[in-house]
Amino acid sequence: MKSIFLTLFCFISIIVKCQNSKKEFVLNGIIQNRDTGKIFLRYINDLEKWVSDTAILINGHFRFVGEINEPVYASISGYKKIVDFEQVNFTNIFLEPGIQKINLTENDFVHSKMEGSLSQREYDTLTMNVDSIKLKYKNIHQEILMSKYKYKEAKSQIEKDIALELQNEFIAKLKPENDEITNLYISFAKQHPNSYVSPCFFYFPAKLMPIDSAKLIFSKFSPSVQKSRFGKNIANIFIQQEQNAIGKVPYNFNAIDINGINISLSSFKDKYLYIDFWASWCAPCRAEIPHLKNIFELYNPKGLEILTISIDKDSIAWKNAVKTEQLYKWHNVLVNKEIEKNYDNIQNPIPSGILIAKDGKVLWKSSNDESLESVLKRIVN
């Protein structure tokens, strides 16, 4: 009898512990300039599943209730309205267990005011600093916006190409801004090792930094932050980077190319292989295609093959882009789960690439200071 009660006690304890791992959050809100309609909340739970919730507006007020086990990066949105190519009834927030309230304004969600979330206060401070950086480059952003309108209003493909080329030129001028923002994220992560905001925004810089430097910053994070959803994602980046580091044999994936041909990394044995990660919607990726074709023409006779891997979610858009750009001299693959799991390039800013030597080992990565052309001239020639 005693053993039965002990077993029952342990079983109840496990149930209580599982229930206590999740905590309730309440988000009370009010939206200015709208009394009725719907508000939508989305976030990823601890099971890596998207949670989508809808609240009905009553005299401009709404309420969300749910369960989370840590602060989460969420989005809140209203009815879709696009102004200057941006959804103005959309913003990101940091939800925490407990009671919070948010004040929104119709057609201006980005300037929301939220209380009750420490992570949100930290996020607001970070966002304010990002905005101050962007303000220095407002003229370039305005030129990009104008080029988008020119592309939208273009009546011929030639006009679209000119507008797109102009847009790419201005995007390239934003590199100093991107560098400043990246350094800001790194600095924030260093200064806020206990913040759940840190791993969220250190995620992309961690991909670009030397792995030892990124690991050092990550090691200063508190255990709970390291074990958070974004913390685990960063830890996975380190695994991928070490697996595909220069001098190592990268993961031998299998895939089916655009023509239905089964290929694997081992298919390119005894050849130099450049893997280019891109997407149909990526303007810088499309802009570098002529340069990629020149590299192929120059070095393919010397044993270089090219494999382009698209991270497109829309396979039709991918196929149309391959057709438009006439990328038929090399294999074209749409990313699959196997590639996504084992290559950090999928989450990197694209375009990005890897050069693999004839012995199957990684020779160069786009994160290196040396250019691809320089490596090819030095090694292949």
Side-chain angles (χ1 to χ4, degrees), residues 122-140:
E122 294 168 336
Y123 177 49
D124 287 341
T125 300
L126 181 61
T127 301
M128 182 178 65
N129 291 331
V130 170
D131 289 342
S132 67
I133 292 174
K134 289 185 175 182
L135 189 61
K136 296 188 295 184
Y137 300 88
K138 65 177 182 179
N139 291 337
I140 299 177

Side-chain angles (χ1 to χ4, degrees), residues 1 6 20 24 48-49 55 69 84 97 107 117 134 195 291:
M1 179 66 71
L6 182 60
N20 289 340
E24 184 180 76
E48 293 293 314
K49 301 294 184 182
N69 62 0
D84 289 340
N107 300 331
S117 168
K134 289 185 175 182
S195 172
H291 182 58

Side-chain angles (χ1 to χ4, degrees), residues 252-355:
N252 182 27
F253 62 84
N254 292 280
I256 299 176
D257 78 357
I258 198 168
N259 297 315
I261 300 173
N262 290 300
I263 64 168
S264 65
L265 203 59
S266 57
S267 304
F268 301 93
K269 185 179 179 181
D270 297 327
K271 294 183 179 180
Y272 290 102
L273 174 66
Y274 177 64
I275 305 178
D276 182 71
F277 293 84
W278 73 300
S280 64
W281 44 261
C282 169
C285 301
R286 302 286 290 265
E288 78 159 9
I289 287 175
H291 182 58
L292 203 59
K293 289 180 177 179
N294 289 337
I295 288 176
F296 183 83
E297 292 297 332
L298 184 60
Y299 290 103
N300 177 254
K302 301 176 182 179
L304 174 71
E305 296 291 343
I306 290 179
L307 170 66
T308 53
I309 299 180
S310 169
I311 66 171
D312 275 286
K313 301 296 183 183
D314 185 345
S315 61
I316 295 178
W318 165 60
K319 290 178 180 178
N320 287 339
V322 170
K323 182 178 179 180
T324 300
E325 302 291 351
Q326 292 293 298
L327 306 181
Y328 296 121
K329 292 186 177 181
W330 54 70
H331 290 283
N332 297 277
V333 166
L334 192 63
V335 68
N336 58 28
K337 290 184 178 180
E338 189 179 11
I339 298 172
E340 186 173 359
K341 181 181 178 180
N342 292 283
Y343 284 80
D344 63 300
N345 302 74
I346 304 304
Q347 289 82 29
N348 278 349
I350 54 174
S352 70
I354 301 176
L355 179 63

